[in-house]
Amino acid sequence: MNPSSINSLLLFLMLLFVVSEAGFLQHKQDILVYNDLQAGTDLTLHCKSKDDDLGIHVLTYQGNPFEFKFRPHFFGRTVFYCSMEWNGVVHRFDIYDYKRDFDKCERCLWNIKATGPCMLNYSTSKYDICYPWKTTV
């Protein structure tokens, strides 16, 4: 490969990086998780992605949410998964899955219920996009 081709390739890669970091390729996602279990029941939440551990957070019933923001991976592979514990039982769920959520929301609001997580449906203004807990094998 000649020096001109290498320089062109490096310039292209730098431009691609700058454009993606500036947000021209993917918008930022904002995720908010609320405890909607029952009065007096705290929700212990631990969320991670392949690259980031967001730590352990305790949410009170209908109190302040846990919120995090990120820019999805360029190739659409971003997944944030959470373990959620209350009353000594642990449940798991992918709180953000690019393939499932990217076109549904930029600001994804979740109510955590005993039956499973429910996402705000912006078309109905209700938390009616509900999923079962993830089963582990």
Side-chain angles (χ1 to χ4, degrees), residues 34-78:
Y34 293 88
N35 174 354
D36 196 28
L37 293 168
Q38 65 183 18
T41 302
D42 289 344
L43 171 66
T44 302
L45 181 72
H46 189 189
C47 298
K48 300 178 183 183
S49 73
K50 178 182 166 197
D51 301 316
D52 299 298
D53 185 333
L54 303 179
I56 297 172
H57 304 271
V58 178
L59 307 180
T60 58
Y61 175 70
Q62 294 186 342
N64 290 329
F66 169 60
E67 179 177 13
F68 64 99
K69 298 177 184 183
F70 62 94
R71 193 173 312 283
H73 187 274
F74 178 74
F75 294 110
R77 296 186 300 230
T78 305

Coordinates of all heavy atoms in Angstrom, one line a residue, residues 34-78:
Y34 N -38.0 3.0 36.8 CA -38.8 3.3 38.0 C -39.2 2.0 38.7 O -39.5 1.0 38.1 CB -40.1 4.1 37.6 CG -39.8 5.5 37.1 CD1 -39.6 5.7 35.7 CD2 -39.8 6.6 37.9 CE1 -39.4 6.9 35.2 CE2 -39.6 7.9 37.4 CZ -39.4 8.0 36.0 OH -39.1 9.3 35.5
N35 N -39.3 2.1 40.0 CA -39.8 1.0 40.8 C -41.3 1.2 41.0 O -41.8 2.1 41.6 CB -39.2 1.0 42.2 CG -39.7 0.0 43.2 OD1 -40.7 -0.7 42.9 ND2 -39.1 0.0 44.4
D36 N -42.1 0.2 40.4 CA -43.5 0.2 40.5 C -44.0 -1.1 41.0 O -45.0 -1.7 40.6 CB -44.1 0.5 39.1 CG -45.6 0.9 39.1 OD1 -46.0 1.5 40.2 OD2 -46.3 0.6 38.2
L37 N -43.2 -1.7 42.0 CA -43.6 -3.0 42.6 C -44.8 -2.9 43.5 O -45.9 -3.2 43.2 CB -42.3 -3.5 43.3 CG -41.2 -3.9 42.3 CD1 -39.9 -4.2 43.1 CD2 -41.6 -5.1 41.5
Q38 N -44.5 -2.3 44.7 CA -45.6 -2.1 45.7 C -45.0 -1.2 46.8 O -43.8 -1.2 47.0 CB -46.2 -3.3 46.2 CG -45.3 -4.2 47.0 CD -46.0 -5.5 47.5 OE1 -47.0 -5.9 47.0 NE2 -45.4 -6.1 48.5
A39 N -45.9 -0.5 47.5 CA -45.5 0.4 48.5 C -44.6 -0.4 49.6 O -45.0 -1.5 49.9 CB -46.7 1.0 49.2
G40 N -43.5 0.2 50.0 CA -42.6 -0.4 50.9 C -41.6 -1.4 50.4 O -40.8 -2.0 51.1
T41 N -41.7 -1.7 49.1 CA -40.8 -2.6 48.5 C -39.7 -1.9 47.7 O -40.0 -1.2 46.7 CB -41.5 -3.6 47.6 OG1 -42.5 -4.3 48.3 CG2 -40.6 -4.6 46.9
D42 N -38.4 -2.0 48.1 CA -37.3 -1.5 47.4 C -36.9 -2.4 46.3 O -36.9 -3.6 46.4 CB -36.1 -1.2 48.4 CG -36.4 0.0 49.3 OD1 -37.3 0.7 49.1 OD2 -35.6 0.1 50.3
L43 N -36.4 -1.8 45.2 CA -35.9 -2.5 44.1 C -34.3 -2.3 44.0 O -33.9 -1.2 43.9 CB -36.5 -2.0 42.8 CG -35.9 -2.5 41.5 CD1 -36.2 -4.1 41.3 CD2 -36.6 -1.8 40.3
T44 N -33.6 -3.4 44.1 CA -32.1 -3.3 43.9 C -31.8 -3.7 42.5 O -32.1 -4.8 42.0 CB -31.4 -4.3 44.9 OG1 -31.8 -3.9 46.2 CG2 -29.9 -4.1 44.7
L45 N -31.2 -2.7 41.8 CA -30.9 -2.8 40.4 C -29.4 -2.8 40.1 O -28.7 -2.0 40.6 CB -31.6 -1.6 39.7 CG -31.6 -1.3 38.3 CD1 -32.6 -2.3 37.6 CD2 -32.1 0.1 38.0
H46 N -29.0 -3.7 39.2 CA -27.6 -3.7 38.8 C -27.6 -3.9 37.3 O -27.9 -5.0 36.8 CB -26.8 -4.8 39.5 CG -25.3 -4.8 39.2 ND1 -24.5 -5.8 39.6 CD2 -24.6 -3.9 38.6 CE1 -23.3 -5.5 39.3 NE2 -23.3 -4.3 38.7
C47 N -27.2 -2.9 36.5 CA -27.2 -2.9 35.1 C -25.8 -2.9 34.5 O -24.9 -2.2 35.0 CB -28.0 -1.8 34.5 SG -29.7 -1.8 35.0
K48 N -25.6 -3.6 33.4 CA -24.3 -3.7 32.7 C -24.5 -3.8 31.2 O -25.6 -4.2 30.8 CB -23.5 -4.9 33.1 CG -23.2 -5.1 34.6 CD -22.5 -6.4 34.8 CE -22.2 -6.7 36.3 NZ -21.5 -7.9 36.4
S49 N -23.4 -3.5 30.5 CA -23.3 -3.8 29.1 C -22.1 -4.6 28.9 O -21.4 -4.9 29.9 CB -23.3 -2.6 28.2 OG -22.0 -1.9 28.3
K50 N -21.7 -4.9 27.7 CA -20.5 -5.7 27.5 C -19.3 -4.8 28.0 O -18.3 -5.4 28.4 CB -20.4 -6.0 26.0 CG -19.1 -6.7 25.6 CD -19.0 -6.9 24.1 CE -17.6 -7.3 23.7 NZ -17.4 -7.1 22.2
D51 N -19.4 -3.5 27.9 CA -18.3 -2.6 28.1 C -18.4 -1.8 29.4 O -17.4 -1.3 29.9 CB -18.1 -1.6 27.0 CG -17.9 -2.3 25.7 OD1 -17.0 -3.2 25.6 OD2 -18.5 -1.9 24.7
D52 N -19.6 -1.7 30.0 CA -19.8 -0.8 31.1 C -20.6 -1.5 32.2 O -21.6 -2.1 32.0 CB -20.6 0.5 30.7 CG -19.9 1.3 29.6 OD1 -18.8 1.8 30.0 OD2 -20.4 1.4 28.5
D53 N -20.2 -1.3 33.5 CA -20.9 -1.7 34.7 C -21.4 -0.4 35.3 O -20.7 0.4 35.7 CB -20.0 -2.5 35.6 CG -20.7 -3.0 36.8 OD1 -21.8 -2.5 37.2 OD2 -20.2 -4.1 37.3
L54 N -22.8 -0.3 35.4 CA -23.4 0.9 35.9 C -23.6 0.9 37.4 O -24.1 1.9 38.0 CB -24.7 1.2 35.2 CG -24.6 1.2 33.7 CD1 -26.0 1.4 33.1 CD2 -23.7 2.3 33.2
G55 N -23.1 -0.1 38.1 CA -23.2 -0.2 39.5 C -24.5 -0.7 40.1 O -25.5 -0.9 39.3
I56 N -24.6 -0.7 41.4 CA -25.8 -1.2 42.1 C -26.6 0.1 42.6 O -26.0 1.0 43.1 CB -25.4 -2.1 43.2 CG1 -24.8 -3.4 42.7 CG2 -26.7 -2.5 44.1 CD1 -24.2 -4.3 43.7
H57 N -27.9 0.0 42.4 CA -28.7 1.2 42.8 C -30.0 0.6 43.4 O -30.5 -0.4 43.0 CB -29.1 2.0 41.5 CG -28.0 2.5 40.8 ND1 -27.4 3.7 41.1 CD2 -27.2 1.9 39.8 CE1 -26.3 3.9 40.2 NE2 -26.2 2.8 39.5
V58 N -30.4 1.3 44.5 CA -31.6 0.9 45.2 C -32.7 2.0 44.9 O -32.5 3.2 45.2 CB -31.4 0.8 46.7 CG1 -32.7 0.4 47.4 CG2 -30.3 -0.3 47.0
L59 N -33.8 1.5 44.4 CA -34.9 2.4 44.0 C -36.1 2.2 45.0 O -36.5 1.0 45.2 CB -35.4 2.2 42.6 CG -34.4 2.2 41.5 CD1 -35.0 1.9 40.1 CD2 -33.7 3.5 41.5
T60 N -36.6 3.3 45.5 CA -37.8 3.1 46.4 C -39.0 3.1 45.5 O -39.0 3.6 44.4 CB -37.8 4.3 47.4 OG1 -37.9 5.5 46.7 CG2 -36.6 4.3 48.3
Y61 N -40.1 2.6 46.1 CA -41.4 2.5 45.4 C -41.8 3.9 44.9 O -41.9 4.9 45.7 CB -42.4 1.9 46.3 CG -43.8 1.9 45.6 CD1 -44.1 1.1 44.6 CD2 -44.8 2.7 46.2 CE1 -45.4 1.1 44.0 CE2 -46.1 2.6 45.6 CZ -46.4 1.8 44.5 OH -47.6 1.8 44.0
Q62 N -42.0 4.1 43.6 CA -42.4 5.3 42.9 C -41.6 6.5 43.3 O -42.0 7.7 43.3 CB -43.9 5.6 43.2 CG -44.8 4.5 42.6 CD -46.3 4.8 42.7 OE1 -46.7 5.6 43.5 NE2 -47.0 4.1 41.8
G63 N -40.3 6.3 43.6 CA -39.4 7.3 44.0 C -38.6 7.8 42.7 O -39.1 7.6 41.6
N64 N -37.4 8.3 43.0 CA -36.6 8.8 41.8 C -36.1 7.6 41.0 O -35.9 6.5 41.5 CB -35.4 9.6 42.4 CG -35.8 10.9 43.0 OD1 -36.7 11.5 42.5 ND2 -35.0 11.3 43.9
P65 N -36.1 7.8 39.7 CA -35.6 6.7 38.8 C -34.1 6.6 38.8 O -33.4 7.4 39.2 CB -36.1 7.2 37.4 CG -36.0 8.6 37.5 CD -36.4 9.0 38.9
F66 N -33.7 5.4 38.3 CA -32.3 5.2 37.9 C -32.2 5.7 36.4 O -33.0 5.2 35.6 CB -31.8 3.8 38.1 CG -30.5 3.5 37.5 CD1 -29.4 4.2 37.9 CD2 -30.3 2.6 36.5 CE1 -28.1 4.0 37.3 CE2 -29.1 2.3 35.9 CZ -28.0 3.0 36.3
E67 N -31.3 6.5 36.1 CA -31.2 7.1 34.7 C -29.7 6.9 34.2 O -28.8 7.1 35.0 CB -31.6 8.5 34.7 CG -31.5 9.1 33.3 CD -32.0 10.6 33.3 OE1 -32.1 11.2 34.4 OE2 -32.1 11.1 32.2
F68 N -29.6 6.5 33.0 CA -28.3 6.5 32.3 C -28.5 6.8 30.9 O -29.5 6.6 30.3 CB -27.6 5.2 32.5 CG -28.2 3.9 32.0 CD1 -27.8 3.4 30.7 CD2 -29.2 3.3 32.6 CE1 -28.4 2.3 30.2 CE2 -29.8 2.1 32.1 CZ -29.4 1.6 30.9
K69 N -27.4 7.4 30.3 CA -27.4 7.8 28.9 C -26.2 7.2 28.2 O -25.2 7.0 28.8 CB -27.4 9.3 28.8 CG -28.6 10.0 29.4 CD -28.4 11.5 29.3 CE -29.6 12.2 30.0 NZ -29.6 13.6 29.9
F70 N -26.4 6.9 26.9 CA -25.3 6.4 26.1 C -25.6 6.5 24.7 O -26.7 6.8 24.3 CB -25.1 4.9 26.5 CG -26.3 4.0 26.1 CD1 -26.4 3.4 24.9 CD2 -27.3 3.9 27.0 CE1 -27.5 2.7 24.6 CE2 -28.5 3.2 26.7 CZ -28.5 2.6 25.5
R71 N -24.5 6.4 23.9 CA -24.7 6.3 22.4 C -24.6 4.9 22.0 O -23.6 4.2 22.3 CB -23.6 7.2 21.8 CG -23.9 7.5 20.3 CD -23.0 8.5 19.7 NE -22.7 9.7 20.5 CZ -23.5 10.7 20.6 NH1 -24.7 10.7 19.9 NH2 -23.2 11.8 21.3
P72 N -25.6 4.4 21.3 CA -25.5 3.0 20.8 C -24.3 2.7 19.9 O -23.8 3.6 19.2 CB -26.8 2.8 20.0 CG -27.7 3.8 20.5 CD -26.8 5.0 20.9
H73 N -23.9 1.5 20.0 CA -22.7 1.0 19.1 C -23.1 1.3 17.7 O -24.2 1.1 17.2 CB -22.5 -0.5 19.4 CG -21.3 -1.0 18.7 ND1 -21.3 -1.5 17.4 CD2 -20.0 -1.1 19.2 CE1 -20.1 -1.8 17.1 NE2 -19.3 -1.7 18.1
F74 N -22.1 1.7 16.9 CA -22.2 2.0 15.5 C -22.9 0.9 14.7 O -23.7 1.2 13.8 CB -20.8 2.3 14.9 CG -20.8 2.6 13.5 CD1 -21.3 3.8 13.0 CD2 -20.4 1.7 12.5 CE1 -21.3 4.1 11.6 CE2 -20.4 1.9 11.2 CZ -20.8 3.2 10.7
F75 N -22.6 -0.4 15.0 CA -23.2 -1.5 14.2 C -24.5 -2.0 14.8 O -24.9 -3.1 14.5 CB -22.2 -2.6 14.0 CG -21.0 -2.1 13.2 CD1 -19.8 -2.0 13.7 CD2 -21.2 -1.9 11.8 CE1 -18.7 -1.5 12.9 CE2 -20.1 -1.5 11.0 CZ -18.9 -1.3 11.6
G76 N -25.1 -1.3 15.8 CA -26.4 -1.8 16.4 C -26.4 -3.0 17.2 O -27.3 -3.8 17.2
R77 N -25.3 -3.2 18.0 CA -25.2 -4.4 18.9 C -25.3 -4.0 20.4 O -25.1 -4.9 21.2 CB -23.8 -5.0 18.6 CG -23.7 -5.5 17.2 CD -22.4 -6.3 17.1 NE -21.2 -5.5 17.4 CZ -20.2 -5.4 16.7 NH1 -20.1 -6.1 15.6 NH2 -19.1 -4.6 17.0
T78 N -25.7 -2.8 20.7 CA -25.8 -2.4 22.1 C -26.9 -3.1 22.9 O -28.0 -3.1 22.5 CB -26.0 -0.9 22.2 OG1 -24.9 -0.3 21.5 CG2 -25.9 -0.5 23.7

